[in-house]
Amino acid sequence: MLWLVVLRPLPVAWVYDTNLTPLASLRSSSGWQVVGEFLLLAPLGVLLPLAGGRLRAPWLPSFLRTTGASALLATGLEFLSSWTPGHVLNVDHILLAVIGVAVTHLALVPGLRRLLRDRRPRVRVPAPAPAATSAPPPAPKVTALVGPPVARARAYAEPTPPAR
């Protein structure tokens, strides 16, 4: 456990302290930095829900799973990046990344799921023809199998009888 203390960088005077106050560092950030934090994990807002392949999933559980997973991932990444010299833990980075994932999910996933559902080929069942009142229904067609029965492939091997 001592190696964890040794590898942790020491706080220095020219680096800010850890920011644990939400949205406190936005005043000192430029617009491009905020946009970059939004877009950092934004692709996960589309990739996580569609990775399961379920096109008829309800939107609220999908949204909650996606934002929860992105919050865990963003927290882990921020914690790991705070071990590099010169980078301090900032809760705003986590919040902006999760908000970016949530906005991306809400903006794109319902439309993409609808688009993929509509592109999927549907099995069309022909509508029954209207029955004529005076004519009897046609007799079903019967076909006979000709030749010896064909052995089906089995999912498991049957034991062979011992040779005598």
Side-chain angles (χ1 to χ4, degrees):
M1 202 61 176
L2 182 63
W3 61 275
L4 286 175
V5 177
V6 173
L7 291 178
R8 180 89 174 146
L10 296 174
V12 289
W14 60 86
V15 177
Y16 293 111
D17 273 343
T18 302
N19 175 26
L20 298 177
T21 307
L23 307 176
S25 68
L26 289 182
R27 274 183 256 114
S28 62
S29 299
S30 70
W32 290 111
Q33 289 172 333
V34 173
V35 170
E37 291 296 329
F38 270 123
L39 297 178
L40 182 65
L41 296 178
L44 292 179
V46 175
L47 296 176
L48 285 178
L50 295 181
R54 296 185 324 168
L55 298 178
R56 298 198 184 281
W59 73 272
L60 185 61
S62 174
F63 174 75
L64 293 176
R65 273 192 308 267
T66 303
T67 52
S70 67
L72 289 173
L73 185 64
T75 303
L77 288 174
E78 187 65 23
F79 179 73
L80 287 176
S81 66
S82 71
W83 285 64
T84 59
H87 184 86
V88 294
L89 185 97
N90 191 349
V91 74
D92 293 342
H93 295 170
I94 298 169
L95 287 175
L96 291 175
V98 172
I99 290 171
V101 169
V103 167
T104 304
H105 183 278
L106 290 176
L108 296 178
V109 170
L112 285 174
R113 280 187 173 151
R114 186 174 299 116
L115 179 70
L116 291 173
R117 274 194 310 257
D118 292 343
R119 286 187 57 202
R120 192 179 237 182
R122 295 182 181 168
V123 177
R124 305 236 183 226
V125 178
T133 56
S134 63
K141 195 182 223 183
V142 178
T143 57
L145 295 175
V146 179
V150 179
R152 292 187 195 170
R154 298 195 182 249
Y156 58 92
E158 291 183 6
T160 56
R164 294 186 182 196

